[in-house]
Amino acid sequence: MKTLIIIPAYNEEGSIAGVIRDIRRHTPEADIIVVNDGSTDRTEQIAEADGAKVLTLPYNVGIGGGMQTGYLYAQRMGYDIAVQMDADGQHPAEELPKLIAKAKDYDLVIGSRYVETTSYRSSRLRRIGMVFFSGLVSLVTGQRFTDTTSGFRAAGRKVIELYADYYPMDYPEVESIVYLKRKGCRITEVATEMHDRQAGKSSITPWKSVYYMIKVTLAVLMSAIRYDRTAVSKP
Amino acid sequence: MMIYVLSVVLAFLFLLLVLELVRRQKLKEQYSLLWILFSAVLFIVSFNVSFIEWIAARLGVKYAPAILFLFGLLFCFAFILHLTIVVTRLTAQVLRLTQELTILKEREALHGQND
C-alpha cells in the first residue's frame, strides 16, 4: 500500500522539523509531502533539509486549497492511502499506524478526541462549537460523529479522487464529511490522543469563530441538499 | 419634468461611454451587451413619460419617476449578482491553475535531479 502523509504548512518553521522526524520514526514506509502554502518564513528550507518533499504554492491559497493540492498530488502519483496531519504538532505520529491500518477497511478514518476518553481538554466555547457541529453532521448524514472538526484523517483511494475533485476552500473539515457521505463513502472514527500545539498560534479569533460557525453551518446544509450531478456520470 | 430630461441625458452619455469602452477593448462585448440593453431601455423609457406613468398607475406608485429608480436598482442587483458568480468561477479556476503549476514545478525539479 503506497502511503502519503500530507502536511499543509503556513509559517510553521518552529514545529515542522519535529513533526517530520516523528512521522519517520513511526511510519518509515510512508512518503511525506509538505504543502508549503506561501510561507514567509523558513518552513520550506527546514522541511527540505529534513528530507521531506515540499510543494510550494506561489501565494497563500488558504487551508482548503493547500490541502487539496496534497490530495491532487496523491491522486496523480497513484497513492492508495493519504493521511492529512497538522504541521503544528497537534497530531501525534504514534497514532498514524492505527489510522492507516483502519483505512484499508474504510474510505475515510477520522482521528477523534472524543470516541473514548482521551486526555485532550479544550475551552468551553470550543467544546460547544464541536458539540454543535457533531449534532448537525450526525443529523444530516444519519451517522454519529464525535469529532467533526478533527483534521487528523486517513483517506483511501476513493476519497483521494473525490477530494482532488472537490474540497471546501476554508474551514473544510466539517463540510468535507457531509460531501463524502453524500457520495456514499464509508467513514469511521478512531480514538486518538491530541496534543496542544507546540509552536505558532491558532488562526481562530472570536470574530472569525462567529463567521466560522455561520459559514460552516450554511455549507453543511447546502451540501446536504445539493443535487448530485457527478453521481450520474461517474458510476 | 426635470428628472426625465436628466434621465435621457444620462442614458445617452452612458450608452456612449459603454460603446467607447468596447471600442478601446476595455470591456468585453459579452458584458457590454447587457449594459447597452440597459441604457437603451433607460433611454426609451425616459422619452415615454406616459409609459412610466401608466406603469406607475398600474403598480399603485404615486411618484412616477420612482419606477425609473426601481428598475435601475433591480438591474444593478442582477448585474452585481452576475459578477459575483463570475468571480466565484474565476477564483476556482485560478486555484486549480495554481495547484497544477505547483505540482508541475515539483516534478520538474525531480527531473532536474535525474539528469
Side-chain angles (χ1 to χ4, degrees), chain A residues 53 55-59 65 68-69 72-73 76-77 164 169, chain B residues 91-92 94-96 98-103 105-107 110:
Chain A
K53 266 208 182 120
L55 290 176
T56 293
L57 289 152
Y59 60 93
Q68 193 183 36
T69 311
L72 204 60
Y73 181 83
R76 297 283 161 82
M77 305 305 253
M169 294 265 261
Chain B
T91 310
V94 168
L95 177 65
R96 186 40 64 112
T98 309
Q99 293 173 328
E100 295 281 357
L101 179 85
T102 304
I103 290 172
K105 236 170 37 182
E106 201 271 340
R107 284 195 188 173
L110 204 72

Side-chain angles (χ1 to χ4, degrees), chain B residues 17-106:
Chain B
L17 178 69
V18 170
L19 292 175
E20 177 60 13
L21 284 171
V22 176
R23 196 184 67 84
R24 291 193 197 173
Q25 296 184 321
K26 301 258 179 196
L27 185 65
K28 267 182 138 184
E29 282 83 353
Q30 67 186 95
Y31 295 120
S32 76
L33 281 178
L34 260 175
W35 287 120
I36 292 170
L37 185 75
F38 169 67
S39 38
V41 168
L42 193 66
F43 199 62
I44 295 163
V45 160
S46 310
F47 259 117
N48 294 290
V49 177
S50 55
F51 178 63
I52 283 289
E53 277 160 357
W54 179 77
I55 294 178
R58 274 303 178 86
L59 293 176
V61 177
K62 292 191 178 66
Y63 179 62
I67 292 293
L68 277 183
F69 299 133
L70 176 69
F71 284 110
L73 206 61
L74 285 180
F75 177 85
C76 285
F77 286 161
F79 206 85
I80 292 167
L81 184 65
H82 168 73
L83 286 181
T84 46
I85 292 167
V86 172
V87 169
T88 304
R89 195 182 61 220
L90 284 176
T91 310
Q93 287 172 341
V94 168
L95 177 65
R96 186 40 64 112
L97 261 179
T98 309
Q99 293 173 328
E100 295 281 357
L101 179 85
T102 304
I103 290 172
L104 270 180
K105 236 170 37 182
E106 201 271 340

Side-chain angles (χ1 to χ4, degrees), chain A residues 189-200:
Chain A
E189 288 183 311
V190 294
T192 49
E193 282 292 331
M194 297 222 184
H195 301 146
D196 291 331
R197 48 172 47 248
Q198 284 166 3

Side-chain angles (χ1 to χ4, degrees), chain A:
Chain A
M1 292 289 246
K2 261 181 93 183
T3 306
L4 180 73
I5 315 279
I6 303 167
I7 313 170
Y10 174 59
N11 292 345
E12 299 281 6
E13 63 179 4
S15 54
I16 191 80
V19 171
I20 293 169
R21 240 169 280 146
D22 279 352
I23 295 169
R24 279 275 154 68
R25 187 159 354 118
H26 292 97
T27 54
E29 71 285 357
D31 294 337
I32 303 173
I33 191 102
V34 173
V35 182
N36 171 31
D37 190 6
S39 296
T40 51
D41 65 0
R42 293 180 33 79
T43 301
E44 183 182 11
Q45 291 86 332
I46 291 171
E48 266 171 358
D50 276 288
K53 266 208 182 120
V54 181
L55 290 176
T56 293
L57 289 152
Y59 60 93
N60 185 263
V61 299
I63 181 61
M67 191 69 85
Q68 193 183 36
T69 311
Y71 280 109
L72 204 60
Y73 181 83
Q75 186 222 17
R76 297 283 161 82
M77 305 305 253
Y79 283 96
D80 303 301
I81 294 172
V83 185
Q84 60 174 72
M85 199 169 160
D86 282 2
D88 59 11
Q90 266 195 83
H91 303 146
E94 55 263 36
E95 305 278 15
L96 278 171
K98 201 155 74 182
L99 283 187
I100 293 168
K102 266 259 166 134
K104 291 175 179 87
D105 305 319
Y106 287 90
D107 298 316
L108 185 76
V109 183
I110 304 171
S112 167
R113 282 155 275 205
Y114 304 120
V115 167
E116 292 159 23
T117 318
T118 54
S119 61
Y120 184 84
R121 292 286 170 271
S122 57
S123 72
R124 225 176 77 197
L125 204 71
R126 214 189 143 105
R127 264 199 105 92
I128 291 171
M130 286 171 152
V131 167
F132 172 73
F133 284 131
S134 296
L136 185 69
V137 172
S138 305
L139 186 79
V140 160
T141 63
Q143 181 182 342
R144 207 179 102 79
F145 289 98
T146 58
D147 195 356
T148 52
T149 58
S150 164
F152 195 22
R153 301 171 172 192
R157 189 65 203 173
K158 184 178 180 184
V159 170
I160 293 173
E161 301 272 356
L162 286 170
Y163 278 174
D165 186 49
Y166 172 76
Y167 199 74
M169 294 265 261
D170 52 357
Y171 310 123
E173 292 84 8
V174 182
E175 187 197 338
S176 62
I177 295 176
V178 181
Y179 164 66
L180 292 184
K181 282 300 281 185
R182 197 166 47 88
K183 296 285 185 180
C185 292
R186 294 158 306 148
I187 306 176
T188 191
E189 288 183 311
V190 294
T192 49
E193 282 292 331
M194 297 222 184
H195 301 146
D196 291 331
R197 48 172 47 248
Q198 284 166 3
K201 55 180 191 319
S202 173
S203 58
I204 310 277
T205 61
W207 279 115
K208 271 191 189 166
S209 62
V210 172
Y211 167 73
Y212 174 92
M213 294 285 285
I214 296 169
K215 192 256 163 184
V216 173
T217 304
L218 180 69
V220 164
L221 294 176
M222 283 297 156
S223 189
I225 60 169
R226 195 163 287 152
Y227 172 64
D228 196 352
R229 262 173 298 175
T230 51
V232 182
S233 55
K234 278 188 215 161

